[in-house]
């Protein structure tokens, strides 16, 4: 059974960089896209971006140049860095696996981490 | 960006009821539409992908339909564990976007 687990600081100061890591267990990191989402308290889901196991990335333009997602296949981990954070970046951050086919409608986020709350505050 | 709009935003129903939730896309997304269920404090769980395909392990009381811009999620007979928030999500193009959610509550 594939499992994902987020880790990282739960408190980040304004203007600093939020850094999270997602560790994948129980399955291969190859041939999938690995994704970050967030959900502000009481609000809906927002896609941040994803990375293919080979390292190619696609980001949500709303994050402009603040976001970087990287992957370490040897450790079966992928990471999120979000710079210049403000209180608006306070949210539960989720990592997820994206099963994707370019030739069919098989495009779904089928395994998720439990989520980690990151609070931006001084 | 493709905007996804769900209706209703909230819904009260009883165990055993048949419930339908609607999702509309701001442009055609073919059948690239997924449905998720989220319980408080938990990660979302995929129910339906490709508009109508049932995810492995999901009970058959859940079904999805639609194509283009209009989609529906139907729960044929509500069970106590179904009371949660439901989200639609388009996978047609990036940025990937979700509906605002439909909160299903016990009447």
């Amino acid at each position: 059974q594939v499992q994902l687990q987020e880790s990282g600081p739960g408190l980040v100061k304004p203007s600093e960089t939020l850094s999270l890591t997602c560790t994948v267990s129980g399955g291969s990191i190859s041939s999938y896209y690995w994704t970050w989402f967030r959900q502000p308290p009481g609000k809906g889901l927002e896609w941040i971006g994803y990375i293919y196991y080979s390292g190619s990335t696609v980001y949500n333009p709303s994050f402009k140049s603040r976001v970087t997602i990287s992957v370490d296949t040897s450790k079966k981990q992928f990471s999120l860095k979000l710079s210049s954070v403000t209180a608006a970046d306070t949210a539960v951050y989720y990592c997820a696996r994206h099963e994707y086919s370019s030739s069919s409608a098989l495009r779904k986020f089928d395994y998720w981490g439990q989520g980690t709350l990151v609070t931006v505050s001084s | 960006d493709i905007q996804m709009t769900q209706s209703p935003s909230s819904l009260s129903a009883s165990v055993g009821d048949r419930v339908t939730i609607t999702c509309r896309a701001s442009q055609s997304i073919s059948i690239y539409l997924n449905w998720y269920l989220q319980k408080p404090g938990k990660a979302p769980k995929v129910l339906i992908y490709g508009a109508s395909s049932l995810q492995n392990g999901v009970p058959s009381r859940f079904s999805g339909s639609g194509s283009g811009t209009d989609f529906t999620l139907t729960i044929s007979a509500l069970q106590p564990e179904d009371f949660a928030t439901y989200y639609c999500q388009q996978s047609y193009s990036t940025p990937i976007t979700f509906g605002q959610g439909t909160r299903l509550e016990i009447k």
Side-chain angles (χ1 to χ4, degrees):
Chain A
Q1 178 75 348
V2 176
Q3 293 185 312
L4 288 78
Q5 178 68 56
E6 304 91 350
S7 59
L11 181 64
V12 181
K13 289 182 168 55
S15 79
E16 295 190 343
T17 296
L18 178 159
S19 295
L20 295 174
T21 295
C22 183
T23 301
V24 180
S25 60
S28 174
I29 199 167
S30 299
S31 303
Y32 293 98
Y33 288 83
W34 301 94
T35 308
W36 288 99
F37 293 97
R38 72 180 186 181
Q39 186 171 36
K43 296 189 177 181
L45 294 156
E46 183 174 29
W47 173 72
I48 299 172
Y50 53 56
I51 188 166
Y52 195 46
Y53 77 101
S54 62
S56 61
T57 54
V58 180
Y59 299 135
N60 188 331
S62 67
F63 292 93
K64 298 182 181 178
S65 57
R66 294 201 299 140
V67 64
T68 302
I69 299 175
S70 58
V71 64
D72 185 336
T73 54
S74 66
K75 295 182 178 179
K76 295 178 70 174
Q77 294 178 333
F78 61 105
S79 299
L80 169 71
K81 291 189 185 299
L82 185 65
S83 63
S84 306
V85 297
T86 70
D89 294 309
T90 294
V92 175
Y93 286 76
Y94 293 101
C95 58
R97 188 181 84 169
H98 189 195
E99 185 169 14
Y100 178 87
S101 168
S102 61
S103 59
S104 78
L106 179 59
R107 301 177 184 180
K108 56 181 174 173
F109 299 99
D110 56 355
Y111 291 97
W112 295 66
Q114 64 186 19
T116 187
L117 174 63
V118 178
T119 301
V120 178
S121 174
S122 56
Chain B
D1 299 6
I2 298 175
Q3 306 302 316
M4 307 300 293
T5 304
Q6 290 180 232
S7 61
S9 294
S10 64
L11 176 61
S12 293
S14 301
V15 172
D17 284 353
R18 179 183 180 91
V19 166
T20 297
I21 299 170
T22 297
C23 179
R24 174 164 288 176
S26 60
Q27 66 181 75
S28 177
I29 58 170
S30 184
I31 60 169
Y32 297 99
L33 190 283
N34 302 326
W35 290 99
Y36 297 82
L37 168 158
Q38 186 179 33
K39 296 185 178 180
K42 301 294 186 181
K45 169 188 170 182
V46 63
L47 301 172
I48 301 287
Y49 64 94
S52 62
S53 296
L54 192 67
Q55 173 71 1
N56 288 343
V58 174
S60 59
R61 63 181 180 272
F62 292 92
S63 63
S65 64
S67 66
T69 60
D70 294 314
F71 302 87
T72 59
L73 173 71
T74 299
I75 311 171
S76 60
L78 277 172
Q79 298 300 302
E81 60 268 28
D82 300 338
F83 292 94
T85 299
Y86 292 81
Y87 292 95
C88 62
Q89 171 249 318
Q90 65 83 15
S91 55
Y92 180 79
S93 65
T94 58
I96 289 162
T97 49
F98 290 82
Q100 81 279 14
T102 294
R103 185 173 179 180
L104 179 54
E105 300 174 320
I106 299 175
K107 184 181 287 184

